[in-house]
């Protein structure tokens, strides 16, 4: 992973060479890995994600003419526009950056232009919320440039702006977990979020001799290609058929009474998955790794069989991780590709990673990627020292 200092320096330097602008602010927002509670966010359920040390960095400088110019180390095409002319029709990667500026302007929080350059260490298309990290890094940088203080109200505004950009501009009908953890995560903890009450709390992780390993199958996942939306629609149908506001209110007995076999299985995943989240918090707290193994196994089976969002590469990675000594492993994120998450003894990281590499090679799959998910902090911006301001002409 590229270090934060390298990415920050790279973003500041790119802003200088591309636009002749000196950054006054650098925003940072992390990707995430979800420990448990999958597809439960848009069902008013519980989730337990962790912010990754991998993050997006947005170096930004203010302008006074309303013009917006944005480049990214990960994207070839720059975005150019005007703050007063942004709208929901922004396309491509710019949906996640200019889209956020549009929603912040709609909220009255950003009123002028800026120059911005982004760099990221979050793997793309790996189910690790690279898009939410881009949205939230963009938002905090823009708010920093606008001279605002990131208090809790503004943090909520950043989450809301990211969700609006994702659902209304990028047209991915996602549920809000990714933006929430990208903003509210605390270093060293997971974030327990209740999407019914809107409450969230930090769950300190005392992993001791254990760690969190993420394995990217490199099967690219997309949240805009219909699979995610169809699951969401099936969940909404199940709740409507039961006469409930959401599946958060459903019991297993009610779900088993649903007539449509597919809708019944989808709803069963949601109800059983929500019920696994608090026991996972307890098991993490008491270091009951056998219970973590059982909870992760049940969660993965539920996503594979009832929700049908796994793929053979994810199943193989999970089975191999557990067979090679992980306490627990499951697919994580939206599904249809992407990553698995394992909890395992520190001294098993190399052997588990090697076992997955070997199993993938033998199955004829491309090589996977591995990273350690040391729980990091949510979005923030840093103002650069006054003596560094505008040392080169704009
Ligand atoms: C994606 C979405 C989230 C959530 C997960 C599945 O990451 O962006 O809102 O629904 O899938 O848990």
């Amino acid at each position: 992973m590229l270090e934060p200092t390298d990415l920050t320096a790279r973003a500041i330097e790119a802003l200088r060479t591309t636009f002749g602008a000196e950054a006054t602010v650098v925003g940072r927002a992390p990707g995430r890995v979800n420990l448990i509670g999958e597809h439960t966010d848009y069902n008013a359920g519980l989730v337990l994600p962790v912010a990754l040390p991998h993050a997006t960095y947005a170096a930004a400088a203010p302008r006074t003419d309303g013009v917006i110019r944005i480049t990214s180390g990960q994207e070839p095409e720059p975005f150019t526009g005007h703050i007063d002319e942004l709208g929901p029709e922004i396309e491509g990667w710019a949906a996640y950056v200019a889209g956020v500026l549009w929603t912040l302007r709609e909220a009255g929080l950003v009123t002028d232009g800026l120059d911005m350059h982004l760099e990221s260490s979050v793997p793309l298309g790996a189910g690790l919320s690279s898009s939410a990290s881009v949205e939230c890094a963009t938002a905090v940088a823009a708010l920093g440039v606008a001279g605002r203080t990131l208090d809790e109200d503004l943090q909520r505004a950043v989450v809301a702006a990211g969700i609006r950009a994702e659902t209304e501009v990028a047209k991915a009908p996602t549920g809000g977990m990714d933006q929430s953890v990208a903003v509210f995560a605390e270093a060293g903890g997971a974030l327990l979020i209740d999407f019914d009450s809107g409450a969230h709390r930090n769950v300190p992780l005392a992993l001791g001799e254990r760690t969190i390993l993420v394995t990217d199958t490199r099967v690219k996942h997309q949240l805009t290609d219909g699979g995610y939306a169809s699951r969401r629609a099936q969940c909404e149908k199940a709740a409507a058929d039961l006469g409930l506001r959401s599946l958060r209110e459903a019991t297993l007995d009610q779900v088993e009474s649903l007539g449509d076999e597919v809708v019944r299985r989808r709803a069963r995943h949601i109800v059983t998955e929500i019920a696994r989240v608090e026991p996972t918090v307890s098991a993490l707290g008491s270091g009951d790794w056998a219970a973590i193994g059982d909870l992760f196994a049940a969660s993965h089976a539920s996503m594979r069989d009832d929700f049908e969002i796994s793929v053979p590469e994810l199943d193989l990675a999970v089975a191999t991780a557990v067979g090679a000594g992980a306490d627990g492993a499951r697919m994580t994120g939206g599904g249809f590709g992407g990553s698995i998450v394992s909890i395992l003894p520190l001294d098993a990281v190399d052997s588990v990673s090697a076992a997955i590499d070997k199993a993938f090679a033998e199955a004829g799959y491309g090589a996977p990627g591995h990273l350690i998910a040391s729980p990091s902090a949510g979005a923030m911006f840093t103002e650069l020292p006054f003596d560094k301001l505008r040392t080169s002409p704009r």
Side-chain angles (χ1 to χ4, degrees):
M1 176 181 74
L2 269 164
E3 291 302 320
T5 44
D6 297 336
L7 288 163
T8 303
R10 199 185 273 193
I12 292 170
E13 183 56 25
L15 194 74
R16 192 178 287 142
T17 51
T18 312
F19 299 126
E22 203 62 29
T24 61
V25 160
V26 178
R28 170 197 179 276
R32 64 98 190 91
V33 60
N34 191 19
L35 295 182
I36 203 153
E38 223 63 83
H39 285 255
T40 49
D41 55 355
Y42 56 81
N43 288 292
L46 303 172
V47 297
L48 189 66
V50 163
L52 297 176
H54 306 68
T56 300
Y57 296 77
R63 298 180 64 95
T64 52
D65 56 2
V67 170
I68 298 200
R69 303 188 296 182
I70 313 172
T71 51
S72 160
Q74 279 66 49
E75 301 291 338
E77 291 297 318
F79 174 85
T80 307
H82 191 283
I83 187 73
D84 296 331
E85 287 157 18
L86 297 176
E89 64 292 328
I90 304 158
E91 288 182 350
W93 75 277
Y96 301 99
V97 281
V100 162
L101 298 178
W102 167 62
T103 60
L104 289 174
R105 194 207 65 200
E106 292 263 298
L109 294 169
V110 166
T111 53
D112 213 334
L114 52 73
D115 291 330
M116 183 182 282
H117 180 87
L118 299 109
E119 291 288 342
S120 183
S121 55
V122 185
L124 295 176
L128 301 174
S129 292
S130 55
S131 55
S133 87
V134 164
E135 291 153 12
C136 296
T138 300
V140 292
L143 293 168
V145 160
R148 303 202 178 249
T149 306
L150 201 58
D151 57 16
E152 189 162 343
D153 282 348
L154 214 56
Q155 286 180 312
R156 288 191 188 283
V158 169
V159 172
I163 293 173
R164 272 196 81 186
E166 181 119 1
T167 53
E168 295 178 37
V169 187
K171 308 243 176 339
T174 55
M177 164 172 70
D178 310 340
Q179 294 80 7
S180 302
V181 65
V183 170
F184 288 115
E186 291 181 31
L191 194 72
L192 177 62
I193 314 171
D194 182 332
F195 278 89
D196 193 22
S197 66
H200 59 82
R201 88 174 157 85
N202 182 47
V203 175
L205 292 177
L207 293 173
E209 294 298 302
R210 287 184 158 67
T211 192
I212 303 167
L213 176 70
V214 174
T215 301
D216 174 10
T217 61
R218 300 236 162 91
V219 178
K220 292 293 173 215
H221 95 139
Q222 277 284 349
L223 296 178
T224 47
D225 67 1
Y228 186 97
S230 84
R231 296 304 180 281
R232 187 168 180 153
Q234 287 159 340
C235 292
E236 282 160 8
K237 177 168 177 8
D241 287 355
L242 293 170
L244 301 174
R245 210 164 36 88
S246 74
L247 285 178
R248 177 67 181 274
E249 297 169 358
T251 63
L252 210 45
D253 282 348
Q254 282 175 307
V255 162
E256 295 301 346
S257 75
L258 284 163
D260 183 311
E261 193 263 336
V262 173
V263 170
R264 183 163 68 234
R265 282 191 288 115
R266 303 295 188 253
R268 188 162 60 208
H269 164 71
I270 299 302
V271 171
T272 59
E273 181 78 353
I274 292 172
R276 282 185 280 268
V277 177
E278 280 175 333
T280 301
V281 172
S282 305
L284 286 167
S286 60
D288 187 347
W289 309 116
I292 291 291
D294 292 344
L295 289 158
F296 276 27
S299 174
H300 187 77
S302 177
M303 290 188 283
R304 183 190 60 214
D305 303 335
D306 279 347
F307 220 57
E308 293 182 285
I309 54 170
S310 191
V311 295
E313 289 86 345
L314 289 165
D315 295 341
L316 180 64
V318 164
T320 308
V322 172
D327 302 293
R330 55 183 284 283
M331 63 143 278
T332 182
F336 308 103
S339 298
I340 71 158
V341 59
S342 310
I343 293 187
L344 71 179
L346 280 167
D347 61 11
V349 167
D350 289 347
S351 51
V352 166
S353 308
I356 299 174
D357 292 349
K358 182 161 175 277
F360 269 47
E362 283 170 5
Y365 300 155
H370 308 280
L371 60 89
I372 296 290
S374 321
S376 82
M380 50 170 279
F381 64 78
T382 308
E383 288 179 86
L384 295 177
F386 186 72
D387 60 7
K388 282 205 180 163
L389 296 186
R390 307 214 183 115
T391 49
S392 52
R394 304 248 329 252

Coordinates of all heavy atoms in Angstrom, one line a residue, residues 32 34 37-42 47 127-129 131-132 166 172-179 195 221 223 228 232 303 309 330-335, ligand 1:
R32 N -13.7 0.6 3.1 CA -14.1 -0.2 4.2 C -14.2 -1.7 3.9 O -14.3 -2.1 2.7 CB -15.5 0.3 4.7 CG -16.7 0.1 3.7 CD -17.5 -1.2 4.0 NE -18.4 -1.4 2.9 CZ -18.1 -2.2 1.8 NH1 -17.0 -2.8 1.7 NH2 -19.0 -2.4 0.9
N34 N -16.7 -4.8 5.5 CA -17.8 -5.1 6.4 C -17.5 -6.4 7.1 O -17.3 -7.4 6.4 CB -19.1 -5.1 5.6 CG -20.3 -5.1 6.6 OD1 -20.2 -4.7 7.8 ND2 -21.5 -5.5 6.1
G37 N -23.3 -8.3 8.5 CA -24.5 -7.4 8.2 C -24.5 -7.0 6.8 O -24.3 -5.8 6.5
E38 N -24.7 -8.0 5.9 CA -24.6 -7.7 4.4 C -26.0 -7.5 3.8 O -26.9 -8.3 4.0 CB -23.9 -8.8 3.8 CG -22.8 -8.4 2.8 CD -21.7 -7.5 3.4 OE1 -20.8 -8.1 3.9 OE2 -21.8 -6.3 3.3
H39 N -26.1 -6.4 3.1 CA -27.4 -6.0 2.4 C -28.5 -5.7 3.4 O -29.7 -5.7 3.1 CB -27.9 -7.1 1.4 CG -27.1 -7.0 0.1 ND1 -27.6 -6.5 -1.1 CD2 -25.8 -7.5 -0.1 CE1 -26.6 -6.6 -2.0 NE2 -25.5 -7.2 -1.5
T40 N -28.1 -5.5 4.7 CA -29.0 -5.2 5.7 C -29.3 -3.7 5.9 O -30.3 -3.2 6.5 CB -28.5 -5.7 7.1 OG1 -27.2 -5.3 7.3 CG2 -28.6 -7.3 7.1
D41 N -28.3 -2.8 5.3 CA -28.5 -1.4 5.5 C -29.8 -0.8 4.9 O -30.5 -0.1 5.6 CB -27.2 -0.6 5.1 CG -26.8 -0.8 3.6 OD1 -27.4 -1.7 2.9 OD2 -25.8 -0.1 3.2
Y42 N -30.1 -1.3 3.7 CA -31.3 -0.7 3.1 C -32.6 -1.5 3.5 O -33.7 -1.2 3.0 CB -31.2 -0.7 1.5 CG -30.9 -2.1 0.9 CD1 -31.9 -3.0 0.7 CD2 -29.6 -2.4 0.5 CE1 -31.6 -4.3 0.1 CE2 -29.3 -3.6 -0.1 CZ -30.3 -4.6 -0.2 OH -30.0 -5.8 -0.8
V47 N -25.3 -3.2 10.7 CA -24.1 -3.5 10.0 C -22.9 -3.3 10.9 O -23.0 -2.6 11.9 CB -23.9 -2.7 8.7 CG1 -25.0 -2.9 7.7 CG2 -23.8 -1.2 9.0
G127 N -15.1 -4.3 -4.1 CA -16.1 -4.4 -3.0 C -15.6 -3.8 -1.7 O -16.1 -4.1 -0.6
L128 N -14.7 -2.8 -1.8 CA -14.1 -2.2 -0.6 C -14.4 -0.7 -0.5 O -13.7 0.1 0.1 CB -12.6 -2.4 -0.6 CG -12.2 -3.9 -0.5 CD1 -10.7 -4.1 -0.6 CD2 -12.7 -4.6 0.7
S129 N -15.5 -0.3 -1.3 CA -16.0 1.0 -1.2 C -15.1 2.1 -1.6 O -14.9 3.2 -1.0 CB -16.5 1.4 0.2 OG -17.6 0.6 0.5
S131 N -15.6 3.9 -4.1 CA -16.5 5.1 -4.5 C -16.9 5.9 -3.3 O -16.8 7.1 -3.4 CB -17.7 4.6 -5.3 OG -18.4 3.7 -4.6
A132 N -17.3 5.3 -2.2 CA -17.6 6.1 -1.0 C -16.4 6.8 -0.5 O -16.5 8.0 0.0 CB -18.2 5.2 0.1
E166 N -24.2 9.0 -5.0 CA -24.1 7.6 -5.4 C -25.5 7.1 -6.0 O -25.5 6.4 -7.0 CB -23.7 6.7 -4.2 CG -23.6 5.3 -4.5 CD -22.3 4.7 -4.2 OE1 -21.4 5.4 -3.8 OE2 -22.1 3.5 -4.4
A172 N -26.3 4.1 -8.5 CA -26.2 2.8 -7.8 C -27.1 2.9 -6.5 O -26.8 3.7 -5.7 CB -24.7 2.6 -7.4
P173 N -28.1 2.0 -6.5 CA -29.1 2.2 -5.4 C -28.7 1.6 -4.1 O -29.3 0.7 -3.5 CB -30.3 1.4 -6.0 CG -29.6 0.3 -6.8 CD -28.4 0.9 -7.4
T174 N -27.5 2.1 -3.6 CA -26.9 1.5 -2.4 C -27.5 2.1 -1.1 O -28.3 3.0 -1.2 CB -25.4 1.7 -2.4 OG1 -25.2 3.1 -2.5 CG2 -24.7 1.0 -3.6
G175 N -27.1 1.5 0.0 CA -27.8 1.7 1.3 C -27.3 2.7 2.3 O -27.9 3.0 3.3
G176 N -26.0 3.1 2.1 CA -25.5 4.1 3.1 C -24.5 3.6 4.1 O -23.9 4.4 4.7
M177 N -24.3 2.3 4.1 CA -23.2 1.8 5.1 C -21.9 2.4 4.7 O -21.1 2.8 5.7 CB -23.2 0.3 5.0 CG -21.9 -0.3 5.6 SD -21.9 -2.0 5.7 CE -21.7 -2.5 4.0
D178 N -21.5 2.4 3.5 CA -20.1 2.8 3.1 C -19.8 4.2 3.4 O -18.7 4.5 3.9 CB -20.0 2.5 1.5 CG -20.4 1.2 1.1 OD1 -20.6 0.3 2.0 OD2 -20.7 1.0 -0.1
Q179 N -20.7 5.1 3.1 CA -20.5 6.5 3.4 C -20.5 6.7 5.0 O -19.7 7.5 5.5 CB -21.5 7.4 2.8 CG -21.5 7.4 1.3 CD -22.2 6.2 0.6 OE1 -22.8 5.4 1.3 NE2 -22.1 6.1 -0.7
F195 N -29.6 1.1 11.1 CA -30.2 1.9 10.0 C -31.7 2.1 10.3 O -32.3 2.7 9.5 CB -29.9 1.3 8.6 CG -28.6 1.7 8.1 CD1 -27.5 0.9 8.4 CD2 -28.4 2.8 7.4 CE1 -26.2 1.3 7.9 CE2 -27.2 3.2 7.0 CZ -26.1 2.4 7.2
H221 N -16.7 -6.4 -9.3 CA -18.1 -6.2 -9.0 C -18.6 -4.9 -9.4 O -17.8 -3.9 -9.5 CB -18.3 -6.5 -7.5 CG -18.3 -5.3 -6.7 ND1 -19.2 -5.1 -5.7 CD2 -17.6 -4.2 -6.7 CE1 -19.0 -3.9 -5.1 NE2 -18.0 -3.3 -5.7
L223 N -22.1 -2.2 -8.9 CA -23.3 -2.1 -8.2 C -24.4 -1.5 -9.0 O -25.5 -1.2 -8.6 CB -23.1 -1.2 -6.9 CG -22.2 -1.9 -5.9 CD1 -22.0 -0.9 -4.7 CD2 -22.7 -3.2 -5.4
Y228 N -27.6 -6.0 -7.8 CA -27.9 -5.3 -6.5 C -29.3 -4.8 -6.4 O -30.0 -5.0 -5.4 CB -26.8 -4.2 -6.3 CG -26.8 -3.5 -4.9 CD1 -26.0 -3.9 -3.9 CD2 -27.7 -2.5 -4.6 CE1 -26.0 -3.3 -2.7 CE2 -27.7 -1.9 -3.4 CZ -26.9 -2.3 -2.4 OH -26.9 -1.7 -1.2
R232 N -32.5 -5.6 -3.8 CA -33.1 -4.6 -3.1 C -34.7 -4.6 -3.3 O -35.5 -4.5 -2.4 CB -32.5 -3.2 -3.4 CG -33.0 -2.1 -2.5 CD -32.2 -0.8 -2.7 NE -32.9 0.1 -1.8 CZ -32.3 1.1 -1.2 NH1 -31.0 1.4 -1.4 NH2 -32.9 1.9 -0.4
M303 N -25.6 -15.9 2.2 CA -25.4 -15.1 1.0 C -25.3 -15.9 -0.3 O -25.7 -15.5 -1.3 CB -24.2 -14.2 1.2 CG -24.4 -13.1 2.2 SD -23.0 -11.9 2.3 CE -21.8 -12.9 3.2
I309 N -25.6 -14.1 -4.0 CA -24.7 -13.0 -4.4 C -23.3 -13.4 -4.4 O -22.4 -12.6 -4.6 CB -24.9 -11.7 -3.6 CG1 -24.8 -12.0 -2.1 CG2 -26.3 -11.1 -3.8 CD1 -24.7 -10.8 -1.2
R330 N -15.8 -15.0 5.3 CA -17.1 -14.8 4.5 C -16.9 -13.8 3.4 O -16.0 -13.0 3.5 CB -18.2 -14.3 5.5 CG -17.8 -13.1 6.2 CD -18.9 -12.6 7.2 NE -20.0 -12.0 6.5 CZ -20.1 -10.8 6.0 NH1 -19.0 -10.0 6.1 NH2 -21.1 -10.4 5.4
M331 N -17.7 -13.9 2.4 CA -17.7 -12.8 1.4 C -18.1 -11.5 2.1 O -18.9 -11.5 3.0 CB -18.5 -13.1 0.1 CG -20.0 -13.3 0.3 SD -20.9 -12.6 -1.1 CE -21.0 -10.9 -0.7
T332 N -17.7 -10.4 1.5 CA -18.0 -9.1 2.2 C -18.4 -8.1 1.1 O -17.9 -8.2 0.0 CB -16.8 -8.6 3.0 OG1 -17.2 -7.3 3.6 CG2 -15.6 -8.4 2.2
G333 N -19.3 -7.2 1.4 CA -19.7 -6.1 0.4 C -20.9 -6.6 -0.4 O -21.6 -7.5 0.0
G334 N -21.0 -5.9 -1.5 CA -22.2 -6.1 -2.3 C -22.4 -7.4 -3.0 O -23.5 -7.9 -3.2
G335 N -21.2 -8.1 -3.2 CA -21.3 -9.4 -3.8 C -21.1 -9.4 -5.3 O -20.7 -8.4 -5.9
Ligands
LIG1 C1 -22.6 -2.2 -1.1 C2 -23.5 -1.0 -0.8 C3 -23.9 -0.9 0.7 C4 -24.3 -2.3 1.2 C5 -23.4 -3.4 0.8 C6 -23.9 -4.8 1.1 O1 -21.4 -2.0 -0.5 O2 -22.9 0.2 -1.2 O3 -24.8 0.1 0.9 O4 -25.7 -2.5 0.8 O5 -23.2 -3.4 -0.6 O6 -23.9 -5.0 2.5

